[in-house]
Amino acid sequence: MALDFARRHPERLRGLVLAGASAATRGPWAGPYRALARLVPRLVRHERGAARLTRWNDALLRRTYPPEVVAETIADGYAFHTLSAAWGEVLGRFDASDLSAVRAPVLILNGEKDRLFRAGEREFAAAHPRARVELVPGARHLSNFDDPAAFTDAVRRFARAEAAPGPAGPPAPAGPAEP
């Protein structure tokens, strides 16, 4: 969603962080996600299906992450009913070429062990002259859950570097004037 906003409103950005989002959403790998996006609404239509999906997701989070990291997410619950629409907005719409519309610097922030969503990392980085890749050591796809401090530190360093006076890389191309 951030890349879509950046693509549509490049003049409103000072920087773009793509966290766990450097895989193209076009192509055959998106097939299983499309199938799941069609299945989830059928499951959550019925109370038992929604409860089963919630139990499965809770168990996965509890097994994968420390309680202090996932407790609020589990307590807040899930908006499974929005999954199909959200994935419909993403699947088939993005690849590295979309970064050509972005004028702001880009931080591609991934978990070191997130092989699936890092699949296009090099292409994404190469597609933008002011993109850089940073990995959260030992982290998977939800690197903000795996190591919240390292994730936050990376975002803060990026934000500070972009706010600091001095050379910030090549000038961005001129864009449309704000109304």
Side-chain angles (χ1 to χ4, degrees), residues 61-159:
L61 289 176
R62 285 187 179 111
R63 189 171 47 249
T64 309
Y65 302 104
E68 64 274 9
V69 172
V70 297
E72 282 188 49
T73 299
I74 291 171
D76 288 344
Y78 312 100
F80 292 124
H81 64 283
T82 66
L83 188 63
S84 182
W87 280 359
E89 287 295 314
V90 173
L91 291 173
R93 293 184 56 192
F94 302 107
D95 62 26
S97 68
D98 292 301
L99 282 174
S100 65
V102 178
R103 296 191 308 264
V106 177
L107 172 62
I108 299 167
L109 182 59
N110 288 319
E112 176 187 28
K113 294 181 178 178
D114 183 7
R115 298 292 179 216
L116 178 62
F117 288 93
R118 288 182 58 199
E121 185 176 89
R122 289 182 183 162
E123 292 83 1
F124 273 69
H128 193 283
R130 294 171 63 195
R132 75 172 201 253
V133 174
E134 187 163 339
L135 300 179
V136 177
R140 295 161 294 223
H141 179 57
L142 298 178
S143 58
N144 58 318
F145 278 18
D146 281 312
D147 193 339
F151 180 92
T152 302
D153 186 51
V155 173
R156 285 183 176 151
R157 280 194 319 275
F158 177 71

Side-chain angles (χ1 to χ4, degrees), residues 37-49:
R38 287 190 301 271
L39 176 63
V40 168
R42 291 186 208 154
L43 290 173
V44 299
R45 246 188 307 220
H46 307 287
E47 192 172 316
R48 284 179 37 195

